[in-house]
Amino acid sequence: KQEVTQIPAALSVPEGENLVLNCSFTDSAIYNLQWFRQDPGKGLTSLLLIQSSQREQTSGRLNASLDKSSGRSTLYIAASQPGDSATYLCAVRAAGNNRKLIWGLGTSLAVNP
Amino acid sequence: DAGVIQSPRHEVTEMGQEVTLRCKPISGHDYLFWYRQTMMRGLELLIYFNNNVPIDDSGMPEDRFSAKMPNASFSTLKIQPSEPRDSAVYFCASSPGTTVISPLHFGNGTRLTVT
């Protein structure tokens, strides 16, 4: 059974720092992995999607990497800003069921001005 | 594009009452998903529809939960009777869904509190 773990559960950093959020999964048989952002009282917004054949994806100050063999992904945020404060969730799309995402519990990020 | 619209935003009800949550997906999206989010278990997929037809309801916790999609622009999730352990945020999401990389678009959720 696929399980997704995110560490740390919460993170507080000063503005301007570069930071890394971690996501690990137990079954390497995945189609893709996605990172989402959730603001308080809101739904989720997709940030980056990495296909199983890819190693990384970049969007602006965000870079997501995928090491499928070791069951790990990282989300790197460069030059963090207070507006980056949110909960970040990763989700894997398991092989064999195209529509189901298996979710981590998220990392709650606070960027302090 | 108004996005996925859910109502109500907040619902407080007493144990044993019927609760109906509503969702309007983005026009043209042919997949609709219902999720439940709690602190302990995170996001859980309850059920999803393709072209108004339920495809996988294996995540529905028990018979007290039911979902319908009578047309392409409307879906409901009903809990009858409700219990305190049903308290959670319920999200609806839709997707154009023709491939596995089709993005999910989430509504802002309904926060349900059952006392």
Side-chain angles (χ1 to χ4, degrees):
Chain A
K1 179 186 171 187
Q2 178 74 271
E3 293 182 2
V4 178
T5 304
Q6 291 187 246
I7 295 174
L11 183 63
S12 180
V13 300
E15 181 178 5
E17 263 199 22
N18 301 324
L19 57 98
V20 174
L21 308 181
N22 296 294
C23 173
S24 61
F25 46 96
T26 54
D27 187 344
S28 62
I30 64 171
Y31 277 123
N32 57 46
L33 182 144
Q34 300 181 60
W35 283 92
F36 291 81
R37 168 182 173 139
Q38 184 175 23
D39 292 284
K42 302 285 188 181
L44 285 73
T45 302
S46 180
L47 296 174
L48 289 164
L49 181 148
I50 312 176
Q51 299 284 41
S52 61
S53 58
Q54 296 175 320
R55 295 302 297 264
E56 64 179 322
Q57 282 286 333
T58 298
S59 176
R61 294 182 295 107
L62 305 180
N63 176 277
S65 69
L66 175 64
D67 184 343
K68 203 172 67 161
S69 61
S70 68
R72 294 183 181 180
S73 175
T74 61
L75 180 66
Y76 175 83
I77 302 177
S80 58
Q81 303 170 358
D84 295 329
S85 299
T87 297
Y88 291 82
L89 295 95
C90 73
V92 299
R93 192 181 298 277
N97 188 320
N98 290 352
R99 298 295 157 191
K100 275 192 171 179
L101 291 174
I102 312 299
W103 298 81
L105 292 180
T107 293
S108 177
L109 172 66
V111 181
N112 305 305
Chain B
D1 185 348
V4 176
I5 299 173
Q6 291 187 246
S7 65
R9 287 299 314 274
H10 302 274
E11 177 79 40
V12 181
T13 190
E14 292 184 348
M15 183 174 63
Q17 296 298 307
E18 177 179 295
V19 175
T20 299
L21 311 181
R22 296 173 176 79
C23 174
K24 177 178 168 56
I26 293 174
S27 177
H29 284 192
D30 50 9
Y31 282 86
L32 183 140
F33 304 79
W34 281 101
Y35 283 93
R36 177 172 67 179
Q37 186 178 39
T38 61
M39 291 288 289
M40 292 301 296
R41 294 198 299 270
L43 271 164
E44 302 171 284
L45 177 64
L46 301 176
I47 185 172
Y48 75 90
F49 296 82
N50 177 217
N51 292 323
N52 314 336
V53 177
I55 303 300
D56 185 344
D57 65 355
S58 60
M60 298 285 261
E62 47 199 275
D63 291 345
R64 297 183 298 106
F65 285 69
S66 62
K68 294 182 180 179
M69 192 164 186
N71 57 62
S73 60
F74 183 65
S75 177
T76 59
L77 178 68
K78 186 175 294 186
I79 308 172
Q80 166 64 21
S82 58
E83 298 182 2
R85 61 192 166 120
D86 301 331
S87 297
V89 181
Y90 290 80
F91 286 103
C92 176
S94 69
S95 168
T98 52
T99 72
V100 296
I101 64 171
S102 298
L104 277 175
H105 298 260
F106 281 81
N108 286 333
T110 295
R111 181 174 295 276
L112 173 65
T113 303
V114 183
T115 60

